[in-house]
Structure formats: structure tokens, C-alpha cells
Amino acid sequence: MTMALGPAQASDFSEPWKNTDRALVIDAYEYNSIDWAELATDKRIVGFINKASDGMPPPYFCFGAETETRLCKTLWKRHAVAQELFQTRKVVAKALGLKWGAYHLARPGNPVGQANNFINFAKPGPDDLLALDIEDDDPTKWMSLEDAEEFVRHVHRRIGRFPVLYTNGKTAKHIADNKYKYRLLSRLPLWYARYKPDIGVHFPMGNWQGYALWQFSAKANCGRFRCPYRVAGTPNDIDVNVAPMDAAALRAQWPFGGLIDVQPVYLASIPVPLSREAGLAGNAITYATVAAPPTFAEITAAFSARWTKFRSSFQLPFVKAAPRLPRGVAEYVAWTRKEKRSASASEAAPAASDPVSTASTEFDRGLR
């Protein structure tokens, strides 16, 4: 299951939210206040993505001292209230015609347990977007990228589709530079978090040629007096995202859920060197075509052939075993008699067995 997110236009990397044709998406967590009636007045808002689970769920049964028990019950109450608010917002957002989505805040440890917690919390429908939120590439504070690969794989096992990857510029670049190591993460649709007006020189090209969503406005760059974009009915710290497409196209691609196409990593051609004189004369540069990289089957066949040749170089040639010499006087006497009998039998053999004997030779011998 793949999806083609084509190369983004140059305008999609430089303040695309100023283009009124571009669709916008809000993402929020439980402490963001939302005035839904005001929010609905902004017709550019197509979707609403809400925080769902956070790491592992709190323990269902509380044990220990009084302080530990009270903390455990408080965490469980917070978890239950957040889940109730999540489902309420989901009903309201869909009633207003907004596309719905959920994200999981990834924490260190147990990626399979966190994936189960996410799905059980969000209870996603077939048209609900899912996202994995990796805040930074620090495995002591956030889920490691290796665990994130397993998280993504387990989500696909359970619901048959993949989440979107939310992360910042540094982590996205690390994944793009190591796409052969992170084969799933590097192919998830990218929800890119970077609060710059222009990201053309920063965007992590690789399998990603563009973003699915760009979080361009948040508490980091939106205040009372200045903000890239203000959404009616939301506080200044609300996160606002832009899509590289209009509302109709975003609704058609929502909720994503597929892997993006793998980008080729070889050059189609290389320039042929020119002499200094030819370059100064203004001669045009010509290009030589380069063959496509070998397929996996071709690499496997070549490796097998070379391994067979390498292994055979260590094999010793076949040598006929030398006869065992007799041991002791009795064996020596028996061996001597056997050799004498063999010699006598070969001398008594008829001349016809001699390969060089001829009829004329036999006739002459008979006369003598």
C-alpha cells in the first residue's frame, strides 16, 4: 500500500498559509480551550487532530503507601477525563464537518504496549487520521526511533494502515539521512514541525519530497501581538498546520494511512569532463548515461557466485591414499609373498593381453 506525495511546489515551502487556497488543520491537547462556534467560521479549517494517549496507560489497580496510591488514582482520573474529552471533541468536530485525527505522544519503552494503548484510547474509525508524535531524537525522554519502527508496525498489524509521523526538523533529517535503517519511518507521510517562514533549504529531502502537513504556528512563534495565523475561537498557543493542497484534495487524501513511494538514489546521468579550453570556449556540457542500480535478485546472484568461488579456493585437491606399509615380521612375509604372486601372474599372462603384440609377432615367436 503506497501513496504518491509528489514534489512540493516552491510556494509550499515559503509561507504557504498566505495562499488562501491552502487547507488548514488544527491540532490540540486537553488543556486547549476551543470555542467550536467561532472555530466553524473559518472555512479554511478542514481537520482537527486531538491528542489521544500519552505513553503507557496508568495502572488500573493502585497499591503502595498512601502517597503512591493517591498519585496513582490521580493519574487514572486524568486519563479517564482526557479520554472522555477526546470522544466529546470527536463528536463535535465531525458534526461540524471537520475531518478527525488523533496523535500519540511517544515515550520511552514498550512500543507494542504504547501502540495498543493508542488504538484502545482513540478507537479510530476508517476515516480517522492517526499520528505518532516523536518530539525529539532523545531516547531518554522520547521513544527511540528503533522502537518507533515497531510501534508503526504494530499499528499496521492491528488496523491495516500506517500512522502519519509528526516530528521536528532535526529528527526528520536524521531519519531521511538513514532511510535504509528506518525503512518504515522514512516512508510515513510527514507531519513537519518547524516554525520558520521559509523551509526550502531546511526540508529533509529523501523519500520525502514534500510534507503532508506543516505545523507552522504554535506557542513558540505566536503571541499576543504577532502570530503567523490566528484561528477564531482558539487561544494563542493553539497549533496550526497547513497542507500543500486545497481543501478538496486534503479531504480526498485524508486519513493518509499508506507508505509513500521510495525515491531513486542514483544519478540518471553524469557530466563528461571538459578541458579548460573547451570550457572557456563556452562548449556545452554533455552527459553520459548511468546504468540503473542492480536489483536485489542480481545482487544476491552475484554474491552467491563469488562466495562459491571463494569457498572452493580453500578445498584441497583429491590425493589417492598411499598404501599401508606392513607392520611386524608376519605381515611383512605375507606382503612379500603377495607381491611375488602378483608379479608371477603378470609374467604368465598370455601375449594376447599385451597391447603392443601383433599377429606377425605371434607367428615369429611360434617359429622360434
Side-chain angles (χ1 to χ4, degrees):
M1 180 170 55
T2 60
M3 61 183 302
L5 289 176
Q9 302 296 324
S11 59
D12 292 326
F13 291 127
S14 180
E15 299 184 318
W17 53 89
K18 292 185 176 180
N19 183 352
T20 57
D21 187 50
R22 293 291 181 261
L24 300 178
V25 175
I26 299 298
D27 71 275
Y29 74 120
E30 55 266 29
Y31 294 115
N32 291 132
S33 59
I34 306 294
D35 185 333
W36 291 98
E38 288 290 326
L39 176 64
T41 62
D42 192 335
K43 301 305 180 183
R44 291 182 62 185
I45 305 299
V46 174
F48 194 101
I49 305 175
N50 203 87
K51 178 189 172 186
S53 49
D54 185 337
M56 292 290 292
Y60 188 78
F61 297 102
C62 296
F63 302 97
E66 180 182 358
T67 302
E68 295 174 345
T69 302
R70 289 176 61 185
L71 177 60
C72 174
K73 290 181 178 180
T74 301
L75 291 175
W76 179 255
K77 182 178 180 180
R78 178 184 174 184
H79 175 80
V81 171
Q83 191 170 26
E84 186 67 24
L85 177 62
F86 176 90
Q87 297 298 336
T88 301
R89 285 183 172 179
K90 180 177 181 179
V91 172
V92 175
K94 290 193 171 185
L96 293 174
L98 298 176
K99 290 293 185 180
W100 180 257
Y103 70 88
H104 172 80
L105 187 57
R107 301 289 187 178
N110 196 352
V112 173
Q114 292 193 55
N116 288 329
N117 181 34
F118 180 37
I119 295 172
N120 296 339
F121 189 108
K123 298 178 175 61
D127 195 39
D128 295 344
L129 180 144
L130 298 177
L132 173 63
D133 180 355
I134 301 179
E135 290 290 323
D136 203 356
D137 186 17
D138 184 355
T140 63
K141 298 179 179 179
W142 312 104
M143 180 181 288
S144 69
L145 299 182
E146 289 75 17
D147 282 351
E149 286 266 310
E150 185 56 36
F151 178 99
V152 169
R153 189 175 293 109
H154 191 68
V155 168
H156 185 266
R157 289 191 197 107
R158 285 198 56 179
I159 65 174
R161 53 192 173 94
F162 294 98
V164 172
L165 174 65
Y166 171 92
T167 194
N168 59 20
K170 183 184 74 172
T171 306
K173 185 178 186 306
H174 178 72
I175 293 172
D177 292 342
N178 297 273
K179 61 183 180 180
Y180 295 108
K181 181 178 180 181
Y182 306 114
R183 295 179 180 272
L184 286 178
L185 296 182
S186 64
R187 294 186 62 195
L188 298 179
L190 179 62
W191 181 2
Y192 189 60
R194 196 175 183 93
Y195 312 114
K196 300 288 184 181
D198 193 315
I199 59 171
V201 297
H202 305 288
F203 190 79
M205 293 291 186
N207 288 333
W208 297 313
Q209 298 297 299
Y211 53 84
L213 294 172
W214 170 14
Q215 187 182 89
F216 67 90
S217 180
K219 185 178 180 180
N221 64 340
C222 181
R224 179 180 177 184
F225 300 104
R226 187 176 181 181
C227 189
Y229 190 92
R230 295 189 188 276
V231 179
T234 64
N236 291 332
D237 63 346
I238 198 72
D239 297 336
V240 189
N241 310 268
V242 63
M245 62 194 79
D246 60 20
L250 181 58
R251 289 178 183 276
Q253 293 199 29
W254 198 279
F256 301 100
L259 297 176
I260 63 175
D261 295 331
V262 176
Q263 295 295 321
V265 294
Y266 61 92
L267 295 175
S269 59
I270 56 174
V272 177
L274 287 176
S275 64
R276 183 173 183 273
E277 293 76 10
L280 293 175
N283 292 353
I285 299 177
T286 58
Y287 293 85
T289 58
V290 177
T295 64
F296 180 76
E298 292 172 342
I299 295 175
T300 304
F303 180 79
S304 300
R306 293 203 174 191
W307 169 252
T308 301
K309 183 178 180 181
F310 175 76
R311 185 179 58 183
S312 63
S313 65
F314 289 93
Q315 294 179 353
L316 296 176
F318 177 76
V319 179
K320 186 177 180 180
R324 187 176 69 86
L325 296 176
R327 297 179 181 178
V329 177
E331 286 191 11
Y332 179 75
V333 171
W335 175 76
T336 304
R337 291 176 179 176
K338 181 179 179 181
E339 290 296 321
K340 289 182 178 181
R341 286 197 300 270
S342 300
S344 301
S346 60
E347 291 178 357
S353 63
D354 188 357
V356 299
S357 63
T358 62
S360 60
T361 305
E362 291 293 327
F363 177 76
D364 293 339
R365 183 179 298 158
L367 291 177
R368 289 194 297 271

